[in-house]
Amino acid sequence: MIIVIKKTTGKNAITNFVNSIGLEYQALVKCDRCIYLITKHSQKFDDAQTKIIKNSEIVIDTFETTNEYQLVDRKTSRICAPKIVVKNHEICSANKFCIFAGPCSVESPELIFDIAKKMSALGVKILRGGTFKSRTSPYGFQGLGLHALKLLHQAAIENNLLSITEILDTRDVEKALDYVDIIQIGTRNMYNYPLIREAAKTGKPLLLKRGFSATYKEFLLAAEYAYLEGNSNIILCERGIKTFEPYTRNTLDITAVPVLQHLSHLPVIIDPSHSSGFSYLVPALARAAVAVGANGMIIEVHTNPSKALSDGEQSVNIETFEKIIKTLSKIAKSLDMEIA
Ligand code: PEP
Ligand code: MN
């Protein structure tokens, strides 16, 4: 059970309440509008205890949860539907399709400043750029690390954009704190709970990518790890899963969007780039993302994809990106949504 407590409740009042009913709890999580007291699964309440809970001045509500993920369960949004706000911008809200765009990797100052300027001119609000790269081959371009982080930061600021990059290692989380607005946890790290927890502790919004072979439940439990650190600013990203089909890099599981939105209150976005592996497929998957009701997409854009140091094959050029935006705007409008 989750007992929802008034946000203003002090430590002593919570302790008194817990002691008055001999409550055993697993976690106490502070959120924007309340405090969640998560009881032990084994905890049972008799009539007297139930009465105390019901009549307590500090209790707002209670939830019975059968799911192992509890804080990210859709039910909890009854009291506190967290909004993701970065530097006064609300992102990935219900009727705004949020675009995260930029190169796979921050390759050079010229590239990131040029793309940032072009993305901003096209109305993009969030600049993506890989700085610490999680490459399958150890011989692949590994990213420019801290140097790239600083470039991404500067390019974003100069063009009035928010920034996002993937962090691979708990030792780099602190660097992200100073230089990016949103931390990305990549597909290979969806099961890396220490990393998720460290990243969540920064309080920055997290873009959590689905592990390429993770079930919905495993995905939501990974998000639960972040929420348990008191960070409710979590965006889920379906980026394609491994199937028996070798033609595409991954298979976009479009069904994941309505399923995850049904199970959880967290926003869900799509990555049409990594899910397909080919730039010619990206426009179609981007259209599908809006049509299926996703809260946004993260897309790889490069000024010269054939020269990209990573993922050039799946990166769209500026011209194609502009066409994608125009088409998505039309689809969004017909669904009473807007592109943001
Ligand atoms: C990326 O977005 O650059 C990336 C490496 O994505 P994924 O973790 O989905 O492969
Ligand atoms: Mn990439």
mmCIF file of all heavy atoms in Angstrom, residues 6-51:
data_model
loop_
_atom_site.group_PDB
_atom_site.id
_atom_site.type_symbol
_atom_site.label_atom_id
_atom_site.label_comp_id
_atom_site.label_asym_id
_atom_site.label_seq_id
_atom_site.Cartn_x
_atom_site.Cartn_y
_atom_site.Cartn_z
ATOM 1 N N LYS A 6 0.490 14.600 3.376
ATOM 2 C CA LYS A 6 0.587 16.024 3.010
ATOM 3 C C LYS A 6 2.050 16.443 2.925
ATOM 4 O O LYS A 6 2.855 16.102 3.810
ATOM 5 C CB LYS A 6 -0.099 16.893 4.089
ATOM 6 C CG LYS A 6 -1.598 16.900 3.974
ATOM 7 C CD LYS A 6 -2.185 17.841 5.026
ATOM 8 C CE LYS A 6 -3.661 17.622 5.154
ATOM 9 N NZ LYS A 6 -4.191 18.055 6.448
ATOM 10 N N LYS A 7 2.347 17.232 1.921
ATOM 11 C CA LYS A 7 3.729 17.650 1.667
ATOM 12 C C LYS A 7 4.340 18.413 2.841
ATOM 13 O O LYS A 7 5.539 18.294 3.128
ATOM 14 C CB LYS A 7 3.736 18.527 0.406
ATOM 15 C CG LYS A 7 5.028 19.238 0.130
ATOM 16 C CD LYS A 7 5.682 18.772 -1.126
ATOM 17 C CE LYS A 7 7.137 19.152 -1.160
ATOM 18 N NZ LYS A 7 7.488 19.986 -2.246
ATOM 19 N N THR A 8 3.497 19.165 3.548
ATOM 20 C CA THR A 8 4.007 20.022 4.622
ATOM 21 C C THR A 8 4.277 19.274 5.933
ATOM 22 O O THR A 8 4.738 19.864 6.913
ATOM 23 C CB THR A 8 2.971 21.131 4.897
ATOM 24 O OG1 THR A 8 1.678 20.515 5.001
ATOM 25 C CG2 THR A 8 2.959 22.176 3.791
ATOM 26 N N THR A 9 3.985 17.978 5.950
ATOM 27 C CA THR A 9 4.138 17.213 7.196
ATOM 28 C C THR A 9 5.610 17.108 7.629
ATOM 29 O O THR A 9 6.474 16.734 6.830
ATOM 30 C CB THR A 9 3.558 15.786 7.015
ATOM 31 O OG1 THR A 9 2.300 15.889 6.387
ATOM 32 C CG2 THR A 9 3.425 15.069 8.331
ATOM 33 N N GLY A 10 5.853 17.410 8.878
ATOM 34 C CA GLY A 10 7.226 17.347 9.391
ATOM 35 C C GLY A 10 7.635 15.928 9.771
ATOM 36 O O GLY A 10 6.792 15.034 9.884
ATOM 37 N N LYS A 11 8.935 15.771 9.991
ATOM 38 C CA LYS A 11 9.515 14.457 10.320
ATOM 39 C C LYS A 11 8.863 13.832 11.551
ATOM 40 O O LYS A 11 8.525 12.648 11.573
ATOM 41 C CB LYS A 11 11.013 14.635 10.599
ATOM 42 C CG LYS A 11 11.899 13.924 9.607
ATOM 43 C CD LYS A 11 13.331 14.043 10.077
ATOM 44 C CE LYS A 11 14.253 13.316 9.125
ATOM 45 N NZ LYS A 11 15.642 13.538 9.470
ATOM 46 N N ASN A 12 8.703 14.665 12.607
ATOM 47 C CA ASN A 12 8.148 14.150 13.864
ATOM 48 C C ASN A 12 6.730 13.629 13.702
ATOM 49 O O ASN A 12 6.374 12.574 14.224
ATOM 50 C CB ASN A 12 8.151 15.233 14.950
ATOM 51 C CG ASN A 12 9.548 15.485 15.437
ATOM 52 O OD1 ASN A 12 10.453 14.693 15.137
ATOM 53 N ND2 ASN A 12 9.737 16.583 16.150
ATOM 54 N N ALA A 13 5.933 14.388 12.947
ATOM 55 C CA ALA A 13 4.534 13.981 12.741
ATOM 56 C C ALA A 13 4.484 12.646 11.981
ATOM 57 O O ALA A 13 3.646 11.783 12.283
ATOM 58 C CB ALA A 13 3.783 15.060 11.975
ATOM 59 N N ILE A 14 5.391 12.467 11.041
ATOM 60 C CA ILE A 14 5.403 11.200 10.292
ATOM 61 C C ILE A 14 5.817 10.054 11.224
ATOM 62 O O ILE A 14 5.202 8.993 11.245
ATOM 63 C CB ILE A 14 6.349 11.274 9.060
ATOM 64 C CG1 ILE A 14 5.819 12.318 8.061
ATOM 65 C CG2 ILE A 14 6.476 9.907 8.370
ATOM 66 C CD1 ILE A 14 6.666 12.528 6.831
ATOM 67 N N THR A 15 6.834 10.312 12.054
ATOM 68 C CA THR A 15 7.293 9.280 12.988
ATOM 69 C C THR A 15 6.176 8.894 13.960
ATOM 70 O O THR A 15 5.946 7.702 14.214
ATOM 71 C CB THR A 15 8.533 9.783 13.788
ATOM 72 O OG1 THR A 15 9.452 10.298 12.851
ATOM 73 C CG2 THR A 15 9.176 8.684 14.601
ATOM 74 N N ASN A 16 5.484 9.900 14.481
ATOM 75 C CA ASN A 16 4.374 9.612 15.416
ATOM 76 C C ASN A 16 3.299 8.765 14.747
ATOM 77 O O ASN A 16 2.772 7.822 15.333
ATOM 78 C CB ASN A 16 3.732 10.910 15.928
ATOM 79 C CG ASN A 16 4.678 11.645 16.855
ATOM 80 O OD1 ASN A 16 5.626 11.056 17.367
ATOM 81 N ND2 ASN A 16 4.433 12.940 17.051
ATOM 82 N N PHE A 17 2.970 9.128 13.506
ATOM 83 C CA PHE A 17 1.947 8.398 12.759
ATOM 84 C C PHE A 17 2.376 6.935 12.540
ATOM 85 O O PHE A 17 1.617 5.996 12.811
ATOM 86 C CB PHE A 17 1.709 9.107 11.411
ATOM 87 C CG PHE A 17 0.865 8.330 10.447
ATOM 88 C CD1 PHE A 17 -0.505 8.180 10.655
ATOM 89 C CD2 PHE A 17 1.435 7.723 9.321
ATOM 90 C CE1 PHE A 17 -1.290 7.440 9.760
ATOM 91 C CE2 PHE A 17 0.663 6.994 8.427
ATOM 92 C CZ PHE A 17 -0.697 6.855 8.654
ATOM 93 N N VAL A 18 3.619 6.770 12.102
ATOM 94 C CA VAL A 18 4.158 5.433 11.833
ATOM 95 C C VAL A 18 4.125 4.592 13.112
ATOM 96 O O VAL A 18 3.695 3.437 13.102
ATOM 97 C CB VAL A 18 5.599 5.561 11.256
ATOM 98 C CG1 VAL A 18 6.344 4.246 11.307
ATOM 99 C CG2 VAL A 18 5.543 6.081 9.826
ATOM 100 N N ASN A 19 4.558 5.202 14.236
ATOM 101 C CA ASN A 19 4.584 4.472 15.501
ATOM 102 C C ASN A 19 3.177 4.154 16.005
ATOM 103 O O ASN A 19 2.943 3.090 16.591
ATOM 104 C CB ASN A 19 5.338 5.273 16.568
ATOM 105 C CG ASN A 19 6.817 5.357 16.246
ATOM 106 O OD1 ASN A 19 7.320 4.545 15.453
ATOM 107 N ND2 ASN A 19 7.520 6.316 16.823
ATOM 108 N N SER A 20 2.240 5.058 15.751
ATOM 109 C CA SER A 20 0.885 4.862 16.295
ATOM 110 C C SER A 20 0.199 3.629 15.707
ATOM 111 O O SER A 20 -0.698 3.068 16.318
ATOM 112 C CB SER A 20 0.022 6.106 16.065
ATOM 113 O OG SER A 20 -0.275 6.233 14.690
ATOM 114 N N ILE A 21 0.621 3.244 14.524
ATOM 115 C CA ILE A 21 -0.015 2.040 13.955
ATOM 116 C C ILE A 21 0.989 0.898 13.755
ATOM 117 O O ILE A 21 0.690 -0.098 13.091
ATOM 118 C CB ILE A 21 -0.745 2.338 12.614
ATOM 119 C CG1 ILE A 21 0.162 3.138 11.671
ATOM 120 C CG2 ILE A 21 -2.064 3.030 12.836
ATOM 121 C CD1 ILE A 21 -0.433 3.293 10.287
ATOM 122 N N GLY A 22 2.187 1.071 14.281
ATOM 123 C CA GLY A 22 3.202 0.019 14.162
ATOM 124 C C GLY A 22 3.481 -0.305 12.692
ATOM 125 O O GLY A 22 3.566 -1.463 12.294
ATOM 126 N N LEU A 23 3.594 0.776 11.927
ATOM 127 C CA LEU A 23 3.756 0.612 10.476
ATOM 128 C C LEU A 23 5.186 0.240 10.092
ATOM 129 O O LEU A 23 6.143 0.815 10.578
ATOM 130 C CB LEU A 23 3.377 1.940 9.804
ATOM 131 C CG LEU A 23 3.433 2.018 8.292
ATOM 132 C CD1 LEU A 23 2.353 1.142 7.687
ATOM 133 C CD2 LEU A 23 3.226 3.459 7.831
ATOM 134 N N GLU A 24 5.291 -0.757 9.213
ATOM 135 C CA GLU A 24 6.609 -1.077 8.655
ATOM 136 C C GLU A 24 6.607 -0.545 7.244
ATOM 137 O O GLU A 24 5.711 -0.864 6.469
ATOM 138 C CB GLU A 24 6.801 -2.584 8.602
ATOM 139 C CG GLU A 24 7.268 -3.186 9.901
ATOM 140 C CD GLU A 24 7.685 -4.627 9.667
ATOM 141 O OE1 GLU A 24 8.769 -4.839 9.105
ATOM 142 O OE2 GLU A 24 6.887 -5.503 10.019
ATOM 143 N N TYR A 25 7.601 0.287 6.939
ATOM 144 C CA TYR A 25 7.577 0.810 5.570
ATOM 145 C C TYR A 25 8.896 0.578 4.842
ATOM 146 O O TYR A 25 9.941 0.385 5.435
ATOM 147 C CB TYR A 25 7.138 2.267 5.523
ATOM 148 C CG TYR A 25 8.068 3.249 6.199
ATOM 149 C CD1 TYR A 25 9.036 3.906 5.451
ATOM 150 C CD2 TYR A 25 7.952 3.551 7.542
ATOM 151 C CE1 TYR A 25 9.880 4.830 6.043
ATOM 152 C CE2 TYR A 25 8.797 4.462 8.134
ATOM 153 C CZ TYR A 25 9.763 5.098 7.384
ATOM 154 O OH TYR A 25 10.595 6.001 7.968
ATOM 155 N N GLN A 26 8.765 0.619 3.520
ATOM 156 C CA GLN A 26 9.934 0.373 2.672
ATOM 157 C C GLN A 26 10.625 1.658 2.274
ATOM 158 O O GLN A 26 11.831 1.693 2.121
ATOM 159 C CB GLN A 26 9.502 -0.318 1.367
ATOM 160 C CG GLN A 26 8.793 -1.612 1.541
ATOM 161 C CD GLN A 26 9.039 -2.525 0.360
ATOM 162 O OE1 GLN A 26 9.452 -3.659 0.556
ATOM 163 N NE2 GLN A 26 8.802 -2.059 -0.830
ATOM 164 N N ALA A 27 9.809 2.689 2.013
ATOM 165 C CA ALA A 27 10.402 3.933 1.518
ATOM 166 C C ALA A 27 9.501 5.109 1.816
ATOM 167 O O ALA A 27 8.286 4.969 1.930
ATOM 168 C CB ALA A 27 10.634 3.828 0.018
ATOM 169 N N LEU A 28 10.146 6.266 1.906
ATOM 170 C CA LEU A 28 9.445 7.523 2.113
ATOM 171 C C LEU A 28 9.941 8.434 0.989
ATOM 172 O O LEU A 28 11.121 8.738 0.902
ATOM 173 C CB LEU A 28 9.885 8.081 3.468
ATOM 174 C CG LEU A 28 9.051 9.125 4.146
ATOM 175 C CD1 LEU A 28 7.650 8.613 4.448
ATOM 176 C CD2 LEU A 28 9.725 9.548 5.440
ATOM 177 N N VAL A 29 9.048 8.775 0.076
ATOM 178 C CA VAL A 29 9.494 9.521 -1.106
ATOM 179 C C VAL A 29 8.808 10.872 -1.178
ATOM 180 O O VAL A 29 7.581 10.950 -1.221
ATOM 181 C CB VAL A 29 9.200 8.711 -2.397
ATOM 182 C CG1 VAL A 29 9.653 9.477 -3.625
ATOM 183 C CG2 VAL A 29 9.876 7.356 -2.338
ATOM 184 N N LYS A 30 9.634 11.932 -1.209
ATOM 185 C CA LYS A 30 9.074 13.285 -1.306
ATOM 186 C C LYS A 30 8.874 13.646 -2.757
ATOM 187 O O LYS A 30 9.780 13.488 -3.572
ATOM 188 C CB LYS A 30 10.037 14.290 -0.673
ATOM 189 C CG LYS A 30 9.925 14.298 0.801
ATOM 190 C CD LYS A 30 10.635 15.483 1.411
ATOM 191 C CE LYS A 30 10.511 15.335 2.911
ATOM 192 N NZ LYS A 30 11.279 16.205 3.676
ATOM 193 N N CYS A 31 7.667 14.115 -3.086
ATOM 194 C CA CYS A 31 7.401 14.545 -4.455
ATOM 195 C C CYS A 31 7.002 16.006 -4.466
ATOM 196 O O CYS A 31 6.962 16.639 -3.423
ATOM 197 C CB CYS A 31 6.292 13.702 -5.052
ATOM 198 S SG CYS A 31 6.990 12.207 -5.713
ATOM 199 N N ASP A 32 6.669 16.487 -5.660
ATOM 200 C CA ASP A 32 6.307 17.911 -5.793
ATOM 201 C C ASP A 32 5.178 18.304 -4.850
ATOM 202 O O ASP A 32 5.200 19.369 -4.245
ATOM 203 C CB ASP A 32 5.828 18.216 -7.224
ATOM 204 C CG ASP A 32 6.973 18.157 -8.199
ATOM 205 O OD1 ASP A 32 8.116 17.991 -7.734
ATOM 206 O OD2 ASP A 32 6.724 18.259 -9.412
ATOM 207 N N ARG A 33 4.157 17.448 -4.784
ATOM 208 C CA ARG A 33 2.955 17.857 -4.050
ATOM 209 C C ARG A 33 2.623 17.013 -2.826
ATOM 210 O O ARG A 33 1.642 17.278 -2.150
ATOM 211 C CB ARG A 33 1.765 17.840 -5.012
ATOM 212 C CG ARG A 33 1.634 19.150 -5.747
ATOM 213 C CD ARG A 33 0.542 19.086 -6.776
ATOM 214 N NE ARG A 33 1.097 18.989 -8.100
ATOM 215 C CZ ARG A 33 0.411 18.637 -9.166
ATOM 216 N NH1 ARG A 33 -0.845 18.312 -9.059
ATOM 217 N NH2 ARG A 33 0.988 18.586 -10.352
ATOM 218 N N CYS A 34 3.373 15.954 -2.578
ATOM 219 C CA CYS A 34 3.048 15.099 -1.423
ATOM 220 C C CYS A 34 4.250 14.241 -1.024
ATOM 221 O O CYS A 34 5.311 14.328 -1.640
ATOM 222 C CB CYS A 34 1.866 14.196 -1.778
ATOM 223 S SG CYS A 34 2.210 13.138 -3.177
ATOM 224 N N ILE A 35 4.037 13.428 0.002
ATOM 225 C CA ILE A 35 5.066 12.471 0.413
ATOM 226 C C ILE A 35 4.432 11.086 0.306
ATOM 227 O O ILE A 35 3.308 10.875 0.781
ATOM 228 C CB ILE A 35 5.519 12.732 1.875
ATOM 229 C CG1 ILE A 35 6.085 14.152 2.004
ATOM 230 C CG2 ILE A 35 6.544 11.698 2.320
ATOM 231 C CD1 ILE A 35 6.291 14.618 3.441
ATOM 232 N N TYR A 36 5.107 10.162 -0.332
ATOM 233 C CA TYR A 36 4.590 8.798 -0.442
ATOM 234 C C TYR A 36 5.265 7.923 0.610
ATOM 235 O O TYR A 36 6.490 7.867 0.680
ATOM 236 C CB TYR A 36 4.888 8.199 -1.819
ATOM 237 C CG TYR A 36 4.123 8.836 -2.956
ATOM 238 C CD1 TYR A 36 4.784 9.541 -3.953
ATOM 239 C CD2 TYR A 36 2.744 8.722 -3.028
ATOM 240 C CE1 TYR A 36 4.083 10.117 -5.009
ATOM 241 C CE2 TYR A 36 2.034 9.298 -4.070
ATOM 242 C CZ TYR A 36 2.708 9.993 -5.051
ATOM 243 O OH TYR A 36 2.011 10.557 -6.089
ATOM 244 N N LEU A 37 4.443 7.257 1.382
ATOM 245 C CA LEU A 37 4.961 6.310 2.359
ATOM 246 C C LEU A 37 4.619 4.926 1.814
ATOM 247 O O LEU A 37 3.430 4.572 1.723
ATOM 248 C CB LEU A 37 4.238 6.573 3.683
ATOM 249 C CG LEU A 37 4.983 6.388 4.970
ATOM 250 C CD1 LEU A 37 4.229 7.043 6.094
ATOM 251 C CD2 LEU A 37 5.273 4.956 5.288
ATOM 252 N N ILE A 38 5.622 4.191 1.423
ATOM 253 C CA ILE A 38 5.354 2.894 0.798
ATOM 254 C C ILE A 38 5.510 1.794 1.845
ATOM 255 O O ILE A 38 6.601 1.605 2.392
ATOM 256 C CB ILE A 38 6.317 2.655 -0.381
ATOM 257 C CG1 ILE A 38 6.176 3.826 -1.364
ATOM 258 C CG2 ILE A 38 6.022 1.336 -1.083
ATOM 259 C CD1 ILE A 38 7.199 3.853 -2.432
ATOM 260 N N THR A 39 4.416 1.103 2.117
ATOM 261 C CA THR A 39 4.472 0.093 3.182
ATOM 262 C C THR A 39 5.089 -1.201 2.663
ATOM 263 O O THR A 39 5.169 -1.423 1.460
ATOM 264 C CB THR A 39 3.060 -0.230 3.732
ATOM 265 O OG1 THR A 39 2.329 -0.928 2.726
ATOM 266 C CG2 THR A 39 2.311 1.021 4.122
ATOM 267 N N LYS A 40 5.514 -2.037 3.598
ATOM 268 C CA LYS A 40 6.074 -3.345 3.205
ATOM 269 C C LYS A 40 4.968 -4.180 2.587
ATOM 270 O O LYS A 40 3.813 -4.100 3.008
ATOM 271 C CB LYS A 40 6.643 -4.061 4.426
ATOM 272 C CG LYS A 40 7.924 -3.467 4.890
ATOM 273 C CD LYS A 40 8.898 -4.549 5.317
ATOM 274 C CE LYS A 40 10.304 -4.011 5.266
ATOM 275 N NZ LYS A 40 11.189 -4.537 6.256
ATOM 276 N N HIS A 41 5.348 -5.006 1.591
ATOM 277 C CA HIS A 41 4.349 -5.859 0.942
ATOM 278 C C HIS A 41 3.609 -6.750 1.945
ATOM 279 O O HIS A 41 2.422 -7.012 1.812
ATOM 280 C CB HIS A 41 5.013 -6.740 -0.111
ATOM 281 C CG HIS A 41 4.975 -6.108 -1.465
ATOM 282 N ND1 HIS A 41 3.807 -5.793 -2.103
ATOM 283 C CD2 HIS A 41 5.966 -5.717 -2.284
ATOM 284 C CE1 HIS A 41 4.073 -5.228 -3.257
ATOM 285 N NE2 HIS A 41 5.376 -5.163 -3.395
ATOM 286 N N SER A 42 4.355 -7.160 2.966
ATOM 287 C CA SER A 42 3.788 -8.091 3.945
ATOM 288 C C SER A 42 2.858 -7.394 4.948
ATOM 289 O O SER A 42 2.146 -8.041 5.704
ATOM 290 C CB SER A 42 4.931 -8.770 4.697
ATOM 291 O OG SER A 42 5.759 -7.766 5.223
ATOM 292 N N GLN A 43 2.892 -6.048 4.951
ATOM 293 C CA GLN A 43 2.124 -5.308 5.966
ATOM 294 C C GLN A 43 0.603 -5.488 5.788
ATOM 295 O O GLN A 43 0.065 -5.286 4.705
ATOM 296 C CB GLN A 43 2.454 -3.812 5.865
ATOM 297 C CG GLN A 43 1.668 -2.935 6.804
ATOM 298 C CD GLN A 43 2.435 -2.580 8.073
ATOM 299 O OE1 GLN A 43 3.625 -2.306 8.029
ATOM 300 N NE2 GLN A 43 1.776 -2.610 9.207
ATOM 301 N N LYS A 44 -0.046 -5.928 6.859
ATOM 302 C CA LYS A 44 -1.521 -6.057 6.833
ATOM 303 C C LYS A 44 -2.071 -5.117 7.898
ATOM 304 O O LYS A 44 -1.450 -4.937 8.942
ATOM 305 C CB LYS A 44 -1.941 -7.500 7.180
ATOM 306 C CG LYS A 44 -1.485 -8.538 6.164
ATOM 307 C CD LYS A 44 -2.537 -8.767 5.080
ATOM 308 C CE LYS A 44 -2.097 -9.782 4.050
ATOM 309 N NZ LYS A 44 -1.072 -9.307 3.100
ATOM 310 N N PHE A 45 -3.236 -4.532 7.644
ATOM 311 C CA PHE A 45 -3.823 -3.611 8.618
ATOM 312 C C PHE A 45 -5.109 -4.187 9.191
ATOM 313 O O PHE A 45 -5.943 -4.702 8.438
ATOM 314 C CB PHE A 45 -4.122 -2.263 7.959
ATOM 315 C CG PHE A 45 -2.896 -1.538 7.497
ATOM 316 C CD1 PHE A 45 -2.613 -1.406 6.150
ATOM 317 C CD2 PHE A 45 -2.008 -1.002 8.421
ATOM 318 C CE1 PHE A 45 -1.468 -0.745 5.739
ATOM 319 C CE2 PHE A 45 -0.858 -0.339 8.014
ATOM 320 C CZ PHE A 45 -0.584 -0.213 6.665
ATOM 321 N N ASP A 46 -5.252 -4.099 10.531
ATOM 322 C CA ASP A 46 -6.529 -4.513 11.115
ATOM 323 C C ASP A 46 -7.472 -3.307 11.104
ATOM 324 O O ASP A 46 -7.086 -2.200 10.677
ATOM 325 C CB ASP A 46 -6.333 -5.082 12.528
ATOM 326 C CG ASP A 46 -5.688 -4.092 13.478
ATOM 327 O OD1 ASP A 46 -5.851 -2.868 13.240
ATOM 328 O OD2 ASP A 46 -5.033 -4.519 14.440
ATOM 329 N N ASP A 47 -8.691 -3.491 11.601
ATOM 330 C CA ASP A 47 -9.698 -2.424 11.551
ATOM 331 C C ASP A 47 -9.259 -1.167 12.293
ATOM 332 O O ASP A 47 -9.466 -0.041 11.815
ATOM 333 C CB ASP A 47 -11.026 -2.920 12.151
ATOM 334 C CG ASP A 47 -11.687 -3.925 11.221
ATOM 335 O OD1 ASP A 47 -11.196 -4.065 10.076
ATOM 336 O OD2 ASP A 47 -12.670 -4.562 11.645
ATOM 337 N N ALA A 48 -8.618 -1.382 13.467
ATOM 338 C CA ALA A 48 -8.203 -0.235 14.276
ATOM 339 C C ALA A 48 -7.142 0.588 13.527
ATOM 340 O O ALA A 48 -7.222 1.835 13.482
ATOM 341 C CB ALA A 48 -7.653 -0.724 15.607
ATOM 342 N N GLN A 49 -6.195 -0.100 12.925
ATOM 343 C CA GLN A 49 -5.142 0.619 12.181
ATOM 344 C C GLN A 49 -5.735 1.357 10.977
ATOM 345 O O GLN A 49 -5.381 2.509 10.694
ATOM 346 C CB GLN A 49 -4.078 -0.375 11.686
ATOM 347 C CG GLN A 49 -3.197 -0.922 12.794
ATOM 348 C CD GLN A 49 -2.391 -2.107 12.301
ATOM 349 O OE1 GLN A 49 -2.929 -2.995 11.632
ATOM 350 N NE2 GLN A 49 -1.117 -2.114 12.618
ATOM 351 N N THR A 50 -6.653 0.674 10.291
ATOM 352 C CA THR A 50 -7.279 1.286 9.111
ATOM 353 C C THR A 50 -8.006 2.568 9.507
ATOM 354 O O THR A 50 -7.947 3.571 8.788
ATOM 355 C CB THR A 50 -8.276 0.282 8.462
ATOM 356 O OG1 THR A 50 -7.584 -0.935 8.280
ATOM 357 C CG2 THR A 50 -8.797 0.784 7.135
ATOM 358 N N LYS A 51 -8.633 2.524 10.670
ATOM 359 C CA LYS A 51 -9.364 3.699 11.147
ATOM 360 C C LYS A 51 -8.399 4.864 11.419
ATOM 361 O O LYS A 51 -8.659 6.004 11.039
ATOM 362 C CB LYS A 51 -10.124 3.327 12.431
ATOM 363 C CG LYS A 51 -11.340 4.171 12.642
ATOM 364 C CD LYS A 51 -12.164 3.615 13.789
ATOM 365 C CE LYS A 51 -13.068 4.703 14.342
ATOM 366 N NZ LYS A 51 -13.620 4.353 15.623
#
